[in-house]
Amino acid sequence: MEFRSESVQGRSEKIGSSVSVIPRTRIQVWFISVCSSILLWTCIIQIVAVGELWHPKFITNITYKFSQITTDSHLHVSVRSRPPLLPARNYTSQGFLKVSCNGGLNQMRAAICDMVAVARLLNLTLVVPELDKTSFWADPSNFEDIFDVQHFINSLRDEVRIVRRLPKRFSRKFKFKIFEMPPVSWSNETYYLQQILPLVNKLKVLHFNKTDARLANNGLSVELQKLRCRVNFQALKFTPQIEKLGYKLVRILQDKGPYVALHLRYEMDMLAFLGCTHGCTNEEADELKRLRYAYPWWREKEIVSEERRLQGLCPLTPEEAALILQAMGFDKETQIYIAAGEIYGSERRLAALRAAFPRIVRKEMLLDQVELQQFQNHSSQMAALDFMVSVSSNTFIPTYDGNMAKVVEGHRRYLGFKRTIQLDRKRLVTLLDLHQNGTLSWNEFAVSVREAHEKRMGQPTHRMVIPDRPKEEDYFYANPQECLCEGSSCKDLLAMANSSVR
């Protein structure tokens, strides 16, 4: 009995001991789990913080990759997933090409395309281009703030090697001095092969500090021309943030019906640079002149505004644009998107245009202020939104043939010769003056305006070539004919329109 009693007592002590151990073990497991969770979340927060310091759009980019927008059936633009990587081109690099683009967004866009073509021609390694921060707009945006830099690098890897920055051995820290120069404007392949390539072979790194219009419009190999197109139409993809908002703008407009994108280039910098003051007060004319003198790299200072206007070298005023749109048959219900920066004279100068076309809208009217906040004080990013809306419009009408007008025109040709009205300003100002002084009735004026533009609607046409006068030629990016169609059908298409368009 005693033996059994002791045995029962022993078992009871063991059980009691086990019961007391179990709660302590669970507490330890719980404590370890909590500590691990805290440590894990601390690590995540630290990674996010570092990411935010490294690039302000770090989180937005991650979010976007998991919630990339799709294209609505009625939206005439598309969001494409990243294509598979092409095999990298295997070549011996002759050196590095560094470029600093100058001008506004579309001038820089064309320059980037040119510089990729130059790097390919010379078998160089291209450094991701630097964007202009010193122009009138003083936009601090870098390449990666406007364009998808990784897509740019990857999509061209079978043509040219592109790196984000120069190797450290070429830095000032190692006392390496990079040679800077602007290449000669409108240069062909011979210039780059005979004069630039030997320089790179000797120096290993060459910095082009100006890139606007440095490659010829014509006389280049078809392969090089097609590479320029490939960069423009495929490799230069806007950032996810810009694309998402741009597509939203297009969707809002298309949901309300067809729309006209009016590139109303009646902005302070353009008027000052060109010396165009028609319709301005004396005070405004003086202000524009002072601005022109304030920028030493704007070479022309004394300009006779009316002479320039009669030569067709000034953008149409908002009042003139209203009359032209009406003469072309656009009615009061036409939805018009103003693709431009701040109009000089603000709402006062837009009054006549708004009275004629009440359905005038701007991005600031269609989007919440919070949505645009990230793009404020970044003129190139705002211009990218206008670019997307203009390319997708039913009709595109630029009031001045600047860089945006030309690049958008070329993009619309690439998309199937979408309607782009190329205004004949020299003819128009004459007709406008005749109508406003009573010489031409409204009907006569309207008929004359329409007749003057029958062959200026973005139809297929050969690019005009003027030997030894490249500035007066048709701009390659406005009509990249080598890239618009293939084979005999292209020749037939161009032949049909060529005899009558110009």
Side-chain angles (χ1 to χ4, degrees):
M1 290 292 292
E2 291 178 0
F3 174 79
R4 290 175 64 186
S5 174
E6 288 174 358
S7 298
V8 170
Q9 185 178 0
R11 285 198 297 270
S12 298
E13 288 175 356
K14 287 179 181 179
I15 292 169
S17 175
S18 299
V19 168
S20 64
V21 168
I22 290 171
R24 286 200 299 270
T25 305
R26 285 177 179 170
I27 290 170
Q28 288 172 351
V29 170
W30 175 83
F31 181 75
I32 292 169
S33 298
V34 169
C35 291
S36 299
S37 298
I38 293 171
L39 180 62
L40 178 62
W41 279 106
T42 302
C43 291
I44 291 172
I45 291 168
Q46 290 297 323
I47 290 169
V48 169
V50 171
E52 283 290 305
L53 288 172
W54 177 68
H55 198 298
K57 295 171 184 169
F58 179 78
I59 297 303
T60 312
N61 281 332
I62 292 176
T63 305
Y64 181 84
K65 292 183 187 302
F66 287 99
S67 60
Q68 193 171 16
I69 58 173
T70 56
T71 306
D72 292 340
S73 59
H74 64 282
L75 192 61
H76 304 309
V77 288
S78 62
V79 184
R80 297 176 183 175
S81 59
R82 293 186 189 276
L85 286 179
L86 295 166
R89 177 169 164 254
N90 185 18
Y91 68 98
T92 301
S93 176
Q94 302 295 315
F96 290 87
L97 179 61
K98 184 179 177 182
V99 297
S100 295
C101 303
N102 56 303
L105 173 65
N106 291 286
Q107 182 171 307
M108 293 192 292
R109 184 188 186 103
I112 292 165
C113 300
D114 287 352
M115 293 302 106
V116 170
V118 170
R120 174 64 177 83
L121 174 68
L122 304 183
N123 287 328
L124 304 179
T125 297
L126 178 69
V127 181
V128 169
E130 297 174 350
L131 302 188
D132 194 342
K133 297 178 176 63
T134 61
S135 64
F136 172 83
W137 306 278
D139 187 338
S141 299
N142 294 316
F143 185 97
E144 60 269 21
D145 297 318
I146 300 174
F147 301 108
D148 186 332
V149 65
Q150 198 58 53
H151 174 78
F152 177 70
I153 293 170
N154 290 342
S155 64
L156 295 168
R157 69 200 300 263
D158 63 320
E159 291 284 1
V160 62
R161 196 171 301 137
I162 303 174
V163 296
R164 290 176 182 261
R165 58 190 64 84
L166 283 170
K168 289 183 179 179
R169 66 180 182 275
F170 297 120
S171 66
R172 289 182 181 177
K173 181 180 177 181
F174 290 89
K175 298 182 179 180
F176 187 90
K177 187 174 182 180
I178 299 174
F179 182 75
E180 296 185 7
M181 65 170 288
V184 176
S185 298
W186 312 112
S187 297
N188 58 21
E189 291 165 90
T190 303
Y191 165 79
Y192 284 99
L193 288 168
Q194 294 185 358
Q195 298 191 44
I196 298 302
L197 184 55
L199 266 178
V200 185
N201 287 334
K202 179 182 177 182
L203 302 169
K204 299 307 176 189
V205 181
L206 188 59
H207 181 190
F208 286 161
N209 51 19
K210 286 187 179 179
T211 55
D212 57 319
R214 305 294 157 162
L215 193 57
N217 289 313
N218 302 293
L220 303 179
S221 65
V222 173
E223 292 74 22
L224 214 57
Q225 297 287 55
K226 288 190 173 183
L227 178 56
R228 295 166 92 180
C229 292
R230 181 177 164 189
V231 182
N232 190 23
F233 302 134
Q234 297 172 29
L236 285 178
K237 182 182 174 71
F238 292 126
T239 63
Q241 294 79 17
I242 292 173
E243 285 205 341
K244 183 177 180 180
L245 205 56
Y247 290 137
K248 181 176 181 178
L249 270 172
V250 173
R251 189 183 303 111
I252 291 170
L253 289 161
Q254 290 180 347
D255 283 346
K256 296 177 181 178
Y259 71 96
V260 173
L262 180 66
H263 185 39
L264 191 61
R265 199 68 172 94
Y266 201 77
E267 298 153 319
M268 188 178 187
D269 64 300
M270 179 57 68
L271 300 178
F273 176 74
L274 295 172
C276 298
T277 59
H278 185 74
C280 294
T281 64
N282 290 335
E283 291 77 12
E284 288 172 334
D286 289 340
E287 181 181 39
L288 294 172
K289 185 175 181 178
R290 287 196 299 273
L291 179 62
R292 187 164 64 251
Y293 272 88
Y295 285 84
W297 52 88
W298 291 356
R299 294 179 183 177
E300 279 191 277
K301 301 301 181 185
E302 291 299 321
I303 300 171
V304 181
S305 175
E306 280 308 306
E307 286 183 7
R308 177 150 285 187
R309 175 177 174 268
L310 291 173
Q311 293 169 354
L313 300 177
C314 287
L316 294 184
T317 67
E319 298 86 353
E320 291 171 336
L323 290 171
I324 297 305
L325 288 172
Q326 289 174 315
M328 286 184 171
F330 293 101
D331 61 30
K332 203 161 187 172
E333 294 305 310
T334 303
Q335 183 181 200
I336 296 179
Y337 176 88
I338 301 293
E342 183 65 31
I343 302 302
Y344 190 58
S346 195
E347 284 299 314
R348 176 180 64 83
R349 294 307 303 272
L350 284 173
L353 184 60
R354 198 177 293 282
F357 300 97
R359 295 184 66 195
I360 284 180
V361 293
R362 301 170 60 94
K363 53 185 170 291
E364 293 82 0
M365 298 167 61
L366 299 175
L367 298 172
D368 189 277
Q369 189 60 35
V370 175
E371 294 177 294
L372 279 174
Q373 190 172 2
Q374 61 181 314
F375 303 114
Q376 295 295 338
N377 303 317
H378 295 84
S379 59
S380 291
Q381 295 181 49
M382 294 288 251
L385 296 174
D386 284 340
F387 177 90
M388 291 183 67
V389 175
S390 298
V391 166
S392 301
S393 64
N394 298 84
T395 304
F396 175 63
I397 307 175
T399 60
Y400 184 76
D401 55 352
N403 289 294
M404 176 167 169
K406 292 172 181 176
V407 175
V408 169
E409 178 189 345
H411 215 108
R412 290 171 65 82
R413 287 178 182 272
Y414 178 76
L415 294 175
F417 301 98
K418 297 176 70 174
R419 192 183 190 210
T420 301
I421 302 179
Q422 304 146 321
L423 297 180
D424 184 347
R425 292 187 309 280
K426 186 173 182 179
R427 176 73 175 139
L428 285 177
V429 294
T430 301
L431 293 174
L432 283 161
D433 290 347
L434 289 173
H435 170 61
Q436 290 175 330
N437 67 24
T439 304
L440 278 182
S441 69
W442 173 256
N443 286 340
E444 292 171 324
F445 171 71
V447 169
S448 297
V449 168
R450 288 195 291 269
E451 286 179 348
H453 294 86
E454 283 179 355
K455 309 299 182 184
R456 300 176 67 90
M457 298 286 180
Q459 302 98 323
T461 178
H462 281 294
R463 196 168 56 245
M464 180 174 61
V465 180
I466 305 177
D468 301 322
R469 287 191 290 168
K471 288 184 180 181
E472 298 173 36
E473 293 180 328
D474 284 345
Y475 191 45
F476 172 81
Y477 291 101
N479 185 14
Q481 63 186 46
E482 295 89 340
C483 316
L484 302 180
C485 43
E486 296 289 345
S488 59
S489 61
C490 185
K491 293 178 182 177
D492 294 341
L493 193 63
L494 292 167
M496 280 194 300
N498 188 54
S499 59
S500 57
V501 170
R502 291 286 170 185

